[in-house]
Amino acid sequence: MRWLAGYRNPRNRRQDVVTNLTSLLAHNPKTIGAAALAAGEPLLVLPTLYHQLWTHEIDVDVDSAPIGEHTLIRLAKR
């Protein structure tokens, strides 16, 4: 969690990436790697994705395994 906390600052959030990730995850969960690749350039997408994990816009099971590119993510239920 300490590592993920580094992405809590809103400067890591790009609205265009949020829109892309929301569309991608609207119906089916994806791995972090697949979502990052499908949403654009992973180096630009990942900071926003991790920010969304921190703000609980995207759900991930942090108890079962460390977060990595094969970790399954889904939109949070609101």
Side-chain angles (χ1 to χ4, degrees):
M1 291 304 286
R2 186 176 296 161
W3 166 82
L4 191 57
Y7 293 94
R8 69 181 171 254
N9 193 304
R11 74 173 175 261
N12 292 300
R13 182 185 183 90
R14 289 185 45 177
Q15 191 56 46
D16 60 323
V17 174
V18 170
T19 301
N20 289 347
L21 288 170
T22 300
S23 295
L24 285 168
L25 297 172
H27 301 290
N28 295 312
K30 297 198 177 338
T31 64
I32 288 176
L37 194 57
E41 173 58 44
L43 288 175
L44 299 176
V45 171
L46 287 171
T48 298
L49 190 150
Y50 295 145
H51 177 76
Q52 288 187 279
L53 288 174
W54 179 259
T55 59
H56 303 283
E57 296 171 59
I58 295 176
D59 279 339
V60 63
D61 181 6
V62 294
D63 294 327
S64 63
I67 295 173
E69 73 174 293
H70 299 293
T71 302
L72 201 59
I73 57 173
R74 63 187 50 81
L75 282 182
K77 295 183 182 189
R78 299 207 175 227

